[in-house]
């Protein structure tokens, strides 16, 4: 009998008096904290299990407060909306705590709520991906707030612990570095904007003060001894430096174009990087060192990665840029491959493409069998196709293994609700195209036999011979993997290559534009023009 079962039975048989008594008496401070966190289930979970004791205003609270202030101060470098974490407010509370007059309960709540938002966003993204676009099927596996707070409470180094919650993929750090480069000439979120107009040396007024403040926030000018509202020589030099670094004429005059660029935030191209960072956070929990298949849809490329290194690459054809045929994004596990697969024609293709042809000519698409629900092939002269519609057609269609089978010689299966898989194809010429969105949703592989042999490495003693034998049999043959392989269908329009250079790909399905707009709605204020996503 298991120890846990024995313990449970012992508790059931123990006299009531011997059981631990529930705690019935709480201090006023504990009751107040319980009431404050009741509206936050994750916080209530944590504080309910730690005896309703504060951790941000308690004996070790100072180091935890400092850690959270420092971590949330890096929000912009992660492509996260700084206003969500209210770091300046946390800094003020921390500063004022030593001077008295700070409500310790409200201080605890402010830091706890900011912690909840920060760790929620860093470990799974700001957005719910499935609400952004119907083609994004990605499930986010983030830890609970209670789990995070319990670990944070035990951390010897709170700041190091917080920093470790971000994705640890090398690509995530490269994207962060790229974002810093793109946003180097952007003022922090919340910096007041400069009114539209033309401002030059000798002018004065509050508008000039806003211009000075924005340039100072970008680090382009030191503190000046002159009046903030006076457009003096140092301000002229700062404007000229900004113009020179952004490709404008460095005349030192803040005209409409300069003001627009000053107010505009990050340079073009950063929108795609912001979206890429968010997509990386959606994939929290993925082991970047694991052997895995990585299919980047906008790149039309599939890879096998092992130990963080690419060991195989092939071109692919993906779903058409049509809402009905777009290949979805999700992660699953490849469990087997099929040599000489039969093609079970999807219902949508059967009734929309083949049924009208069969109604016109029952011998159309003769290379494909018509089968009943039991899988029996039905002679076509026994069917009056004209009496059926797309709604009530009772048959399926299936193509036998053959040289012209739509799935070619092999398909790679990672079972999923959308019936998406990788497969061979007899239509080889499409792999020579630059734009390769032609399928009904599944992913056609340019080098399918090589992909099969690579995936079977370590699965069989002699994988090439085992696969070749299955092919030569001419029969549909399943080869199960002893070690299933993670498969990630991803959508990155900006992503580092093996040399760390950011490569750009077209937003073929328009998904990045939707993700970016959702990020803006969540508080990312970049001021990019709409053309930014095209770069």
């Amino acid at each position: 009998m298991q120890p846990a079962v024995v313990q449970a039975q012992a508790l059931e048989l123990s006299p009531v008096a011997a059981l631990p008594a529930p705690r019935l008496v709480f201090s006023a401070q504990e009751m107040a904290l319980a009431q404050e966190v009741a509206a936050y289930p994750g916080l209530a979970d944590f504080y309910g299990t730690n005896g309703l004791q504060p951790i941000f205003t308690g004996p070790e609270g100072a180091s935890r407060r400092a850690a959270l202030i420092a971590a949330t101060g890096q929000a912009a470098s992660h492509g996260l909306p700084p206003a969500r974490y209210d770091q300046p407010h946390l800094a003020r509370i921390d500063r004022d705590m030593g001077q008295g007059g700070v409500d310790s309960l409200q201080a605890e709540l402010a830091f706890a709520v900011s912690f909840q938002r920060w760790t929620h966003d860093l470990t799974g993204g700001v957005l719910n991906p499935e609400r952004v676009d119907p083609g994004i099927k990605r499930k986010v596996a983030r830890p609970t707030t209670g789990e995070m707070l319990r670990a944070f409470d035990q951390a010897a180094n709170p700041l190091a612990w917080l920093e470790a919650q971000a994705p640890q993929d090398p690509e995530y750090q490269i994207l962060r570095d790229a974002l810093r480069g793109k946003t180097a000439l952007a003022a922090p979120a919340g910096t007041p904007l400069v009114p539209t107009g033309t401002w030059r040396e000798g002018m004065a007024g509050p508008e000039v003060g806003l211009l000075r403040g924005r340039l100072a926030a970008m680090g382009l000018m030191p503190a000046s001894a002159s009046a903030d509202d006076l457009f003096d020589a140092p301000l002229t030099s700062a404007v000229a430096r900004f113009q020179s670094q952004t490709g404008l004429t460095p005349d030192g005059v803040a005209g409409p174009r300069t003001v627009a660029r000053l107010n505009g935030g990050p340079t073009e191209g950063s929108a795609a990087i912001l979206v890429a960072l968010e997509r990386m956070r959606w994939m929290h929990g993925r082991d970047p060192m694991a052997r895995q298949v990585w299919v980047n849809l906008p790149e039309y490329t599939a890879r096998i990665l092992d130990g963080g290194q690419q060991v195989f690459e092939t071109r692919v054809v993906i779903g058409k840029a049509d809402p009905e045929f777009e290949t979805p994004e999700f992660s699953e596990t490849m469990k087997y491959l099929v040599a000489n697969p039969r093609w079970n024609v999807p219902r949508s293709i059967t009734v929309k493409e083949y049924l009208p042809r069969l109604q016109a000519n029952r011998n159309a698409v003769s290379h494909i069998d018509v089968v009943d629900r039991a899988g029996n092939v039905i002679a076509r002269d026994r069917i009056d196709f004209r009496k059926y519609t797309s709604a009530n057609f009772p048959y399926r269609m299936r193509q036998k293994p053959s040289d012209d089978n739509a799935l070619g010689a092999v398909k790679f299966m990672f079972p999923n609700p959308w019936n998406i898989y990788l497969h061979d194809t007899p239509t080889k010429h499409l792999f020579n195209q630059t734009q390769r969105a032609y399928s009904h949703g599944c992913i056609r592989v340019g080098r399918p036999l090589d992909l099969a042999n690579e995936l079977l490495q370590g699965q069989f003693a002699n994988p090439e011979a085992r696969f070749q034998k299955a092919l030569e049999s001419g029969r549909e043959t399943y080869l199960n993997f002893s070690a299933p392989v993670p498969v990630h269908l991803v959508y990155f329009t900006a992503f580092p290559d093996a040399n760390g250079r950011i490569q750009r790909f077209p937003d073929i399905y328009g998904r990045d534009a939707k993700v970016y707009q959702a990020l803006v709605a969540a508080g990312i204020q970049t001021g990019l023009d709409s053309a930014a996503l095209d770069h």
Side-chain angles (χ1 to χ4, degrees):
M1 188 175 292
Q2 297 298 318
V5 176
V6 173
Q7 185 179 26
Q9 290 181 348
L11 286 173
E12 290 178 1
L13 297 173
S14 297
V16 174
L19 296 175
R23 186 178 174 196
L24 300 176
V25 179
F26 300 90
S27 69
Q29 181 181 5
E30 291 168 346
M31 287 299 296
L33 180 58
Q35 291 170 350
E36 289 289 349
V37 301
Y40 305 90
L43 299 184
D45 167 32
F46 169 71
Y47 287 104
T49 58
N50 86 328
L52 292 170
Q53 298 304 303
I55 65 167
F56 291 102
T57 57
E60 299 179 22
S63 63
R64 294 174 184 144
R65 293 195 304 273
L68 187 59
I69 290 168
T72 54
Q74 296 298 312
S77 75
H78 286 277
L80 291 170
R84 280 175 59 84
Y85 320 109
D86 208 1
Q87 190 249 19
H89 179 55
L90 299 182
R92 286 193 298 272
I93 293 174
D94 183 62
R95 183 181 63 245
D96 294 343
M97 285 196 70
Q99 303 173 6
V102 175
D103 185 325
S104 61
L105 177 61
Q106 292 305 311
E108 181 75 19
L109 185 65
F111 275 89
V113 169
S114 182
F115 175 95
Q116 175 175 323
R117 291 175 179 166
W118 178 251
T119 54
H120 172 278
D121 296 350
L122 201 62
T123 61
V126 179
L127 308 175
N128 180 337
E130 294 182 290
R131 294 180 182 175
V132 177
D133 183 274
I136 305 176
K137 311 295 186 182
R138 188 158 302 286
K139 303 286 186 183
V140 177
R142 72 179 94 233
T144 68
T145 298
E147 293 170 338
M148 300 289 276
L149 271 170
R150 279 185 279 274
F152 180 67
D153 186 32
Q154 299 299 315
N157 186 330
L159 179 57
W161 186 92
L162 285 169
E163 291 175 341
Q165 304 317 304
Q168 298 303 298
D169 309 60
E171 293 83 2
Y172 186 82
Q173 188 58 52
I174 294 171
L175 288 165
R176 283 186 71 194
D177 293 341
L179 183 64
R180 288 190 189 97
K182 293 293 183 182
T183 59
L185 293 179
T191 305
L193 302 179
V194 181
T196 301
T198 299
W199 320 104
R200 53 172 51 90
E201 190 169 340
M203 299 178 70
E207 300 85 357
V208 174
L210 294 172
L211 172 63
R212 182 184 299 278
R214 199 156 182 87
L215 286 165
M218 295 178 183
L220 286 173
M221 65 176 304
S224 174
S226 59
D228 284 348
D229 289 354
L230 175 64
F231 201 130
D232 56 9
L235 182 55
T236 299
S237 298
V239 171
R241 281 195 297 275
F242 174 80
Q243 291 168 325
S244 178
Q245 293 181 44
T246 54
L248 299 172
T249 303
D251 57 11
V253 176
R257 290 185 63 199
T258 298
V259 169
R261 187 65 65 85
L262 275 165
N263 289 338
T267 56
E268 288 186 357
S270 60
I273 296 174
L274 285 166
V275 171
L277 286 165
E278 176 73 356
R279 289 183 179 280
M280 291 292 286
R281 290 188 290 268
W282 291 346
M283 299 181 72
H284 173 81
R286 177 185 77 94
D287 180 0
M289 296 296 106
R291 183 172 174 83
Q292 60 196 272
V293 176
W294 180 273
V295 184
N296 189 18
L297 303 177
E299 190 182 359
Y300 307 112
T301 301
R303 296 178 173 86
I304 296 178
L305 306 176
D306 198 348
Q309 302 298 313
Q310 177 179 305
V311 297
F312 178 83
E313 178 180 329
T314 180
R315 292 184 173 193
V316 298
V317 170
I318 67 171
K320 302 173 186 177
D322 178 311
E324 187 173 351
F325 302 122
E326 292 175 0
T327 303
E329 304 163 51
F330 62 93
S331 294
E332 255 302 342
T333 303
M334 188 179 293
K335 297 178 170 63
Y336 60 94
L337 61 79
V338 184
N340 305 313
R342 293 182 295 179
W343 181 39
N344 294 299
V345 182
R347 175 78 180 178
S348 60
I349 298 177
T350 295
V351 299
K352 291 181 179 180
E353 299 184 21
Y354 291 162
L355 180 57
R357 296 171 64 181
L358 292 167
Q359 289 171 332
N361 176 8
R362 69 175 59 203
N363 294 315
V365 290
S366 58
H367 60 294
I368 301 179
D369 292 330
V370 179
V371 298
D372 63 15
R373 295 173 194 265
N376 301 307
V377 177
I378 307 300
R380 297 185 180 207
D381 57 9
R382 294 174 52 191
I383 305 172
D384 182 358
F385 293 101
R386 292 170 297 180
K387 74 177 186 179
Y388 295 113
T389 67
S390 60
N392 65 9
F393 188 59
Y395 301 101
R396 296 185 295 110
M397 300 189 73
R398 185 178 65 202
Q399 186 179 15
K400 301 185 198 67
S402 63
D403 291 339
D404 63 350
N405 182 286
L407 304 185
V410 60
K411 68 176 179 179
F412 306 86
M413 299 300 293
F414 39 103
N416 59 82
W418 310 282
N419 199 28
I420 298 296
Y421 45 86
L422 279 71
H423 65 85
D424 184 14
T425 176
T427 314
K428 305 294 187 183
H429 69 279
L430 295 178
F431 295 107
N432 296 322
Q433 304 293 324
T434 300
Q435 193 274 356
R436 297 190 292 277
Y438 295 106
S439 82
H440 286 81
C442 285
I443 299 164
R444 305 174 190 172
V445 180
R447 297 169 54 202
L449 303 187
D450 293 335
L451 175 60
N453 284 323
E454 183 63 39
L455 286 170
L456 291 171
Q457 295 297 320
Q459 306 280 355
F460 298 98
N462 191 335
E464 289 86 356
R466 182 70 180 85
F467 181 51
Q468 188 61 33
K469 180 179 179 181
L471 288 176
E472 291 174 354
S473 74
R475 298 186 303 274
E476 186 174 57
T477 305
Y478 285 63
L479 297 179
N480 295 315
F481 292 174
S482 57
V485 179
V487 177
H488 304 287
L489 306 190
V490 299
Y491 191 102
F492 287 98
T493 64
F495 205 72
D497 63 15
N499 297 312
R501 293 187 295 264
I502 302 295
Q503 300 297 322
R504 301 304 178 92
F505 311 104
D507 186 11
I508 48 177
Y509 296 156
R511 291 180 191 163
D512 260 27
K514 292 181 181 179
V515 174
Y516 176 67
Q517 291 305 318
L519 287 171
V520 169
I524 295 287
Q525 298 296 331
T526 62
L528 293 172
D529 21 323
S530 58
L533 284 169
D534 297 330
H535 294 266

